[in-house]
Amino acid sequence: MRKGNALRRAAALLGGGALLLTGVVLLVLPGPGLLLVLAGLLVLSRQFPVFGRYVDPVRERALRAAEDSVSSPLRLAASALAGAGLLAAGLTWGLRPRLPFGGWATGAGLVLSGLVLLVLLAWSHRRARSARPPANRADTSPMHTP
């Protein structure tokens, strides 16, 4: 095995493994866990084909979860409020170091999670909106007969 190939495989293992483990942790914490699991699997599968069989099922679940998060106005509002709450919590923890785990290390993590959530929410909303069929409008084409 060539040295460059070994370095590429090691980098994929470290980077993909870090994304995968972070995603698994974020499955239970606030953040885009399933999408990070998918990203980790994609990185790993480029160098280690054995991971490739997990990509499609995780991709389907991640995209379905993204669509579900914006499937109704109530869910969309709740997700947006969660993102805003994470931003507010991050600023609070950053500005109040006397809180448990207070300081900018915790605050930055919360702010980053909130920003990622809001960006993914906007992406999911845009993707779901473009996938929907156009609203029922009266067809005005000459071929249309009521």
Side-chain angles (χ1 to χ4, degrees), residues 30-32 64-88 110-111 113-125:
R64 193 174 329 124
E67 289 173 10
D68 287 347
S69 69
V70 295
S71 63
S72 74
L74 183 62
R75 282 188 179 187
L76 186 60
S79 297
L81 283 174
L86 284 169
L87 291 173
L110 289 167
V111 167
S113 291
L115 290 174
V116 168
L117 174 66
L118 292 173
V119 166
L120 289 174
L121 188 63
W123 174 81
S124 298
H125 181 62

Side-chain angles (χ1 to χ4, degrees), residues 32-82:
L34 208 49
L35 291 172
L36 283 177
V37 168
L38 176 61
L41 287 174
L42 287 170
V43 169
L44 289 169
S45 68
R46 292 188 67 145
Q47 294 297 320
F48 305 97
V50 70
F51 289 101
R53 67 179 172 168
Y54 300 108
V55 170
D56 285 336
V58 171
R59 179 183 287 134
E60 288 175 23
R61 286 185 183 171
L63 293 177
R64 193 174 329 124
E67 289 173 10
D68 287 347
S69 69
V70 295
S71 63
S72 74
L74 183 62
R75 282 188 179 187
L76 186 60
S79 297
L81 283 174

Side-chain angles (χ1 to χ4, degrees), residues 120-141:
L120 289 174
L121 188 63
W123 174 81
S124 298
H125 181 62
R126 184 175 180 169
R127 185 176 184 277
R129 201 173 44 172
S130 68
R132 286 187 208 131
N136 287 339
R137 295 184 196 139
D139 192 290
T140 58
S141 69

